[in-house]
Amino acid sequence: MATRYVWQQIRDQLTDDIRTGRYPIGQRLPTEAQLSTRFAVNRHTVRRAMAELAAEGLIRVRQGAGAEVVQPRLNYRVGQRTRFTDNVAGLQRKGEKRIVVSETRPAEPHIARTLKLRSGASVHQIETLAEIDGQPFAYTRSSFPAARLPELRTAFADTLSVTASLQACGVPGYRRLWTEVTADWVEGPIARHLGGSASGHDTAQGRVAVLHTIALNIEDPSPQGSGQPAKGAAIEYCEAFFRADLAALRIEH
Amino acid sequence: MATRYVWQQIRDQLTDDIRTGRYPIGQRLPTEAQLSTRFAVNRHTVRRAMAELAAEGLIRVRQGAGAEVVQPRLNYRVGQRTRFTDNVAGLQRKGEKRIVVSETRPAEPHIARTLKLRSGASVHQIETLAEIDGQPFAYTRSSFPAARLPELRTAFADTLSVTASLQACGVPGYRRLWTEVTADWVEGPIARHLGGSASGHDTAQGRVAVLHTIALNIEDPSPQGSGQPAKGAAIEYCEAFFRADLAALRIEH
């Protein structure tokens, strides 16, 4: 059996204390001096255990203000094939998605340009709120070329899945071409949907801190000899606003 | 010649006005009503031009507070082979990097684990501040296995380049295996290095909003028959703090 160092034992004990609610989210941990006394070790050993908890995202240590227990972030995988359902399954958490907006409208110019549509062409715009374990996690706004996918909104209402509704519209596969990521604030309706207990919620201004992604999805190239173009057409312009306090994006290169 | 719509002409004129300093960064644009008068068009046309400027990141439109001119974000490419020098060259901006810290010390436990070093093994830790056009842009902290790369700090001091100093230490190539991205705040010394005029600078708390990345770089697999292991060893644990108001990460999948 591998030796467990004292600092590891303390780390594990504190992890248990956090998981079981002895130190709930939002609360401050006891000071280093108090923990030294509790575990009958020197401060250096306590500090090492705390550094580990911080690296694992269970606590946040602030200069001069001690350590605060924080909600661990969800590692959301982003790759060529990123699916909300798969991601949530991987996290072993309960995910739900609901439609907030579903409409067909002229594409905004930058969206038309990215999707390579003529100016003013229609897109289906579908906005959803994703919750994990009952907590708002991400607000997503997707635009799909309407002429190419006339039945998409119906299919999406039935399935709540981009993958399944694209398949229903004759697009068997798609992949992500690029993703742009910024750290931002949102206001107005999206902030209200995401708000709740967000620790990045600036209540005075009604803003919520988000990790903001814009991604372009294209059809998978068709099999050779199918008579379809080899390079896939743009099929979805997808903008997502993840709660900054809850989400970490994990990119596998 | 392609027709330029009226809204496009207004967009281009306003872009020029911003670039030439008629509307400097941080200033509010005139109201829709004022711009309608200036260009002798209806508000719908003005609004469309403004939506474009917002999509291009030149202005930020806030509900009820008008449009503010913002510094356009730098699109920083993140792929398997991401190099600061290449990125800055691609941006046609002037980039500089300087060493803030260079030391050899025992690896923190989570870094040792990620680099697959035994607990307490030494790493070279190099911290740099990158500026673009004279403005603090990113603070980077890299950890390299010291036993594997004894001369790395000397090589880095000579070259200021990770790629060149790894080559000098006998690592001809490397690539990024994964990147984790969060939206965060930094405090203390890093905040002071990045601070300056950051629009995400919370002066009351001394915090700066950042796009925070952690990445693992591994040696490129050696050529077959070289007698080296096929799967590259972990060679750099790299943490970067990009100013949230200045940086956008662009991931090509």
Side-chain angles (χ1 to χ4, degrees), chain A residues 52 109 179 181 249 251 253, chain B residues 52 62 109 179 181 249 251 253:
Chain A
E52 274 286 295
T179 306
V181 187
L249 302 183
I251 301 143
H253 295 288
Chain B
E52 274 286 294
R62 287 223 199 151
T179 306
V181 187
L249 302 183
I251 301 143
H253 295 288

Side-chain angles (χ1 to χ4, degrees), chain B residues 25-208:
Chain B
I25 288 164
Q27 187 171 306
R28 223 165 265 180
L29 279 190
T31 63
E32 279 180 15
Q34 290 167 330
L35 291 170
S36 301
T37 306
R38 173 177 164 198
F39 293 112
V41 296
N42 65 37
R43 287 195 186 199
H44 176 76
T45 307
V46 167
R47 204 169 296 153
R48 179 141 186 206
M50 306 261 279
E52 274 286 294
L53 294 176
E56 287 165 10
L58 290 174
I59 62 172
R60 179 171 44 219
V61 181
R62 287 223 199 151
Q63 290 193 326
E68 185 196 347
V69 180
V70 294
Q71 168 116 27
R73 286 201 169 97
L74 297 168
N75 250 309
Y76 196 83
R77 279 169 295 124
V78 175
Q80 285 200 350
R81 289 178 173 72
T82 297
R83 311 291 182 253
F84 178 70
T85 319
D86 298 348
N87 249 312
V88 174
L91 296 166
Q92 303 185 287
R93 310 280 283 261
K94 191 163 172 293
E96 278 186 28
K97 210 160 46 169
R98 68 180 173 81
I99 298 174
V100 180
V101 172
S102 173
E103 62 184 17
T104 303
R105 43 166 292 172
E108 289 181 40
H110 67 283
I111 295 179
R113 214 160 42 227
T114 307
L115 289 175
K116 296 203 164 68
L117 302 177
R118 62 171 175 69
S119 173
S122 287
V123 287
H124 298 312
Q125 189 162 307
I126 298 179
E127 302 184 17
T128 60
L129 180 67
E131 298 193 333
I132 292 187
D133 288 349
Q135 194 163 31
F137 176 68
Y139 191 93
T140 304
R141 181 191 288 142
S142 285
S143 302
F144 304 89
R148 170 79 182 78
L149 304 163
E151 299 304 321
L152 189 100
R153 283 174 51 198
T154 314
F156 193 86
D158 287 344
T159 62
L160 288 179
S161 152
V162 172
T163 306
S165 38
L166 283 176
Q167 278 173 348
C169 293
V171 179
Y174 64 102
R175 65 185 180 83
R176 191 179 278 236
L177 194 59
W178 51 257
T179 306
E180 197 178 291
V181 187
T182 50
D184 264 316
W185 296 91
V186 286
E187 304 175 344
I190 299 180
R192 285 193 289 278
H193 281 294
L194 289 177
S197 60
S199 76
H201 200 154
D202 179 343
T203 39
Q205 303 240 24
R207 309 186 302 173
V208 173

Side-chain angles (χ1 to χ4, degrees), chain A residues 4 56 70 82 98 131 147 154 160 185 198 224 227 240 243 249:
Chain A
R4 270 201 327 162
E56 286 164 12
V70 295
T82 297
R98 68 181 173 80
E131 298 192 333
T154 314
L160 288 178
W185 295 92
Q224 281 208 323
R243 279 242 318 243
L249 302 183

Side-chain angles (χ1 to χ4, degrees), chain A residues 162-173:
Chain A
V162 172
T163 307
S165 40
L166 283 175
Q167 278 173 349
C169 293
V171 178

Side-chain angles (χ1 to χ4, degrees), chain A residues 58-137:
Chain A
L58 290 174
I59 62 172
R60 179 170 46 219
V61 181
R62 287 221 199 154
Q63 291 192 325
E68 185 196 348
V69 180
V70 295
Q71 168 115 27
R73 286 199 169 97
L74 297 169
N75 251 308
Y76 197 82
R77 279 169 296 124
V78 175
Q80 284 199 351
R81 289 178 172 73
T82 297
R83 312 290 183 253
F84 177 71
T85 318
D86 298 347
N87 249 312
V88 173
L91 297 166
Q92 302 184 286
R93 311 280 283 260
K94 191 163 171 294
E96 278 186 27
K97 211 159 48 168
R98 68 181 173 80
I99 298 173
V100 179
V101 172
S102 172
E103 62 184 17
T104 303
R105 42 166 294 171
E108 288 182 41
H110 68 282
I111 295 178
R113 215 162 41 230
T114 307
L115 290 175
K116 295 203 164 67
L117 301 176
R118 62 171 175 69
S119 173
S122 286
V123 287
H124 299 311
Q125 189 163 306
I126 298 180
E127 302 182 17
T128 60
L129 180 67
E131 298 192 333
I132 292 188
D133 287 349
Q135 194 163 31
F137 175 69

